[in-house]
């Protein structure tokens, strides 16, 4: 048996093991609205509000 046939056999086996390994780690459409995502979105909204406030203050200083 040469190396090429060994690689042909190993690749599908490794893929099967990787798929089973990912099964229980929340990789799917049900994990899109998780708590960390909502926390990041809240922080992003706060930063956008702060950015707008600073922009308005900067415009007031330049007038």
């Amino acid at each position: 048996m040469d190396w090429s046939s060994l690689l042909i056999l190993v690749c599908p086996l490794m893929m099967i093991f990787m798929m089973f390994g990912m099964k229980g780690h929340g990789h799917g459409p049900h994990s899109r609205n998780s708590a960390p995502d909502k926390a990041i979105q809240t922080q992003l909204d706060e930063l956008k509000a702060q950015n707008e406030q600073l922009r308005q203050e900067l415009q007031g200083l330049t007038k």
Side-chain angles (χ1 to χ4, degrees):
M1 189 187 262
D2 60 352
W3 287 103
S4 60
S5 60
L6 183 62
L7 286 175
I8 290 172
L9 292 174
V10 170
C11 287
L13 290 175
M14 289 301 295
M15 190 63 169
I16 291 170
F17 287 123
M18 289 187 337
M19 293 298 286
F20 279 116
M22 288 176 51
K23 188 175 182 180
H25 296 288
H27 293 92
H30 62 278
S31 66
R32 288 191 181 171
N33 293 327
S34 64
D37 291 343
K38 290 180 182 178
I40 291 172
Q41 186 62 43
T42 301
Q43 290 176 347
L44 181 62
D45 293 339
E46 290 173 0
L47 288 172
K48 285 180 181 179
Q50 289 176 1
N51 188 13
E52 185 60 33
Q53 181 182 6
L54 289 172
R55 185 174 299 167
Q56 289 175 358
E57 289 177 12
L58 183 62
Q59 285 179 350
L61 291 175
T62 57
K63 288 183 180 180

